Amino acid sequence: MRRRLINSTLAVVLVVIAVFGVSLVIVETRTIEESAHESVRSDAARLVSVVESRLVAEESVTAASMRSQVPQDRHVRIELPGQPPIELGERPGEGAIEGRAAEPGGVTVTVRQDDDRVREEVGRTLLIILAVALLAVIAAVLLAVQQARRVAAPLTDLAETAERLGSGDPRPRHRRYGVPELDRVADVLDASAERIARMLTAERRLAADASHQLRTPLTALSMRLEEIVAAADAIEAAAAGTAGTAGTAGDRDTGSTAGTAGTTGTTGTAATDRAAASTIREEALVGLAQVERLTDVVQRLLTNSRDPRSGSAVGFDLDEVVKQQIEEWRPAYRKAGRAIVRSGRQGLRAVGTPGAVAQVLATLIENALMHGGGAVALRTRIAGNQVVVEVTDEGPGVDPELGARVFERTVSGHNSTGLGLAVARDLAEADGGRLELLQQRPPVFALFLSREADDPPAGN
């Protein structure tokens, strides 16, 4: 914009200089020429008067007597009745300026001047005009640069304000520039900043309140699960003690058929109790891990609501998170008659929040279970300085009309809430990663995360 303002100002100045400069040169040239002709005619009239006065006084009119009356740069020819013409000065060449004056008595004086002096004067005038034009151009450039800065500076400031507003800094700047149109834009940006600030404050307050309210039931649920694990351990220990006691009694009463039958029944019951206690313990541990991960997510939401710039991304073992999710969802897939498998490169480490990454993968796996079909595959690979986790299934995929809009809130192709993928993408972006739909049919969702610096480079 500055360049356009400068170029437009210079164009106007050059046009004005060209029009007025040419006109001025023409006018000055004619003025100088007219002045030269007038000067020559004036000299001729003066010399005629001098000659006439000398004749009246009966003085001789000769070249010697008239030499002092003739300027050095003039050529004068005096014609007297009955006498040869008198010539004074150097005869000029062709194109000389000529002036003639005559008296009724027959006296004629012709004065001629070389036009070189006229051309020199015209050249000097032209140089002066060019110098003035050059100074005008320089002044126009300086003025154009200053005006361009004055006009572009508010626009640049408004662009910075809009950029700050888009980057999440909704503080209004309350700057005005004295230009009604620009001040109107500043008013709109400040009003938008205030509205966005109020919306962000309300959202953060809601997230903080929801997170705070969820912490208490999650803590209680975690304690109950720990009690279930402890109870399962007690049942397993009691069953083991009962089996040991029954075995000892059977050794003392080896000859009795009834004793043998009792020992066998007691041992079978103890084995059943141990198996049930082990199953309860495993399920409780899985539930406890889920609660702990959910507690981490809630804590992260609470922390971000207080300070959105705070980050909790760390280097972690990606294989552990993927394995945890597969083990967690395998019973649900087995119940649905489907399989969940893992392939690709192993031993990868990524940078992020393990709980958030697990939540993103859980969302993708749950979507594949609810809306997909066939086997679900989790594939890990390396793409440049990033690690990628792809989740795909053999189902019908994403509706082509939706495409990448599946990540928008309230957008769903299966009459669901439409929040799962939107929240998953937000969690991924909060850790500096991204969640994308690489392929619609069959569906391939990919989670991109930064690779830890110590992670070895990709190999065959």
Side-chain angles (χ1 to χ4, degrees):
M1 180 177 180
R2 292 182 180 181
R3 183 177 299 177
R4 291 182 179 179
L5 289 174
I6 294 174
N7 291 338
S8 61
T9 305
L10 287 180
V12 172
V13 171
L14 291 176
V15 169
V16 172
I17 289 176
V19 173
F20 287 94
V22 172
S23 302
L24 184 61
V25 169
I26 294 174
V27 171
E28 285 296 322
T29 301
R30 290 181 178 179
T31 302
I32 292 172
E33 290 177 353
E34 290 294 332
S35 176
H37 282 88
E38 183 65 26
S39 176
V40 171
R41 286 193 294 267
S42 177
D43 287 342
R46 180 179 60 79
L47 290 175
V48 165
S49 176
V50 171
V51 171
E52 187 67 23
S53 64
R54 293 183 70 88
L55 290 176
V56 171
E58 297 182 352
E59 296 179 359
S60 62
V61 179
T62 62
S65 63
M66 295 299 297
R67 190 175 303 278
S68 61
Q69 301 294 329
V70 177
Q72 295 182 357
D73 59 342
R74 303 284 198 275
H75 173 264
V76 178
R77 179 184 175 88
I78 303 174
E79 298 177 3
L80 299 173
Q83 295 184 15
I86 301 172
E87 293 189 5
L88 300 171
E90 185 179 354
R91 183 184 295 272
E94 295 294 332
I97 300 173
E98 183 177 308
R100 184 185 298 271
E103 287 292 335
V107 178
T108 302
V109 177
T110 303
V111 180
R112 302 178 67 190
Q113 181 183 4
D114 198 345
D115 62 349
D116 289 343
R117 297 181 62 86
V118 176
R119 287 196 297 268
E120 290 178 0
E121 189 171 355
V122 170
R124 287 194 299 269
T125 303
L126 182 60
L127 289 178
I128 293 174
I129 293 175
L130 290 177
V132 173
L134 181 60
L135 292 177
V137 171
I138 295 175
V141 170
L142 297 177
L143 181 62
V145 171
Q146 183 180 4
Q147 288 296 110
R149 288 178 178 175
R150 292 181 60 184
V151 173
L155 296 177
T156 303
D157 190 62
L158 290 174
E160 293 177 354
T161 302
E163 184 178 0
R164 289 174 57 251
L165 186 60
S167 63
D169 185 2
R171 292 174 298 174
R173 305 183 71 176
H174 301 294
R175 290 186 181 179
R176 299 299 178 266
Y177 312 98
V179 181
E181 293 79 4
L182 297 180
D183 290 345
R184 172 60 179 164
V185 175
D187 291 338
V188 173
L189 288 177
D190 287 345
S192 300
E194 292 176 355
R195 287 195 299 269
I196 292 175
R198 289 194 297 267
M199 293 171 59
L200 290 177
T201 301
E203 290 184 359
R204 290 170 185 168
R205 185 181 296 113
L206 176 61
D209 294 343
S211 301
H212 186 272
Q213 294 298 324
L214 285 173
R215 290 175 64 185
T216 301
L218 286 176
T219 303
L221 182 59
S222 177
M223 295 174 62
R224 294 295 299 271
L225 289 173
E226 290 176 354
E227 292 176 359
I228 292 175
V229 172
D233 290 340
I235 293 173
E236 191 174 358
T242 302
T245 303
T248 303
D251 290 339
R252 289 196 302 266
D253 197 8
T254 54
S256 173
T257 303
T260 302
T263 302
T264 302
T266 303
T267 304
T269 302
T272 302
D273 291 342
R274 284 200 305 272
S278 178
T279 302
I280 294 173
R281 183 176 183 276
E282 291 178 0
E283 294 297 328
L285 288 176
V286 171
L288 185 61
Q290 293 177 345
V291 170
E292 290 177 351
R293 185 174 69 251
L294 185 57
T295 302
D296 292 339
V297 173
V298 171
Q299 181 63 34
R300 186 165 179 247
L301 289 174
L302 182 59
T303 303
N304 289 340
S305 65
R306 292 172 178 170
D307 186 6
R309 296 170 295 179
S310 63
S312 57
V314 296
F316 66 95
D317 187 357
L318 185 61
D319 291 344
E320 182 179 346
V321 175
V322 174
K323 180 180 178 182
Q324 175 193 18
Q325 288 301 309
I326 292 177
E327 294 297 330
E328 197 171 292
W329 286 94
R330 179 170 285 127
Y333 273 85
R334 186 182 298 116
K335 183 178 180 180
R338 297 170 58 186
I340 179 169
V341 296
R342 186 260 174 93
S343 64
R345 185 180 175 87
Q346 299 186 10
L348 300 179
R349 292 186 62 82
V351 177
T353 306
V357 173
Q359 190 69 23
V360 173
L361 294 180
T363 300
L364 297 178
I365 296 172
E366 182 182 12
N367 279 353
L369 176 63
M370 300 297 297
H371 310 302
V376 174
L378 278 72
R379 177 173 176 264
T380 54
R381 59 183 176 89
I382 291 179
N385 60 346
Q386 293 182 316
V387 294
V388 185
V389 183
E390 295 180 353
V391 179
T392 181
D393 62 75
E394 301 172 352
V398 180
D399 189 348
E401 296 182 357
L402 294 180
R405 294 184 62 240
V406 294
F407 295 106
E408 298 180 7
R409 295 180 182 270
T410 71
V411 174
S412 175
H414 300 278
N415 297 323
S416 59
T417 60
L419 295 176
L421 290 177
V423 174
R425 168 171 275 191
D426 292 341
L427 290 174
E429 292 177 351
D431 281 341
R434 67 182 191 276
L435 180 61
E436 295 183 356
L437 175 62
L438 299 184
Q439 182 176 308
Q440 294 183 1
R441 293 185 177 178
V444 179
F445 289 88
L447 173 62
F448 293 83
L449 297 170
S450 298
R451 186 155 57 100
E452 195 174 28
D454 296 335
D455 200 28
N460 294 331

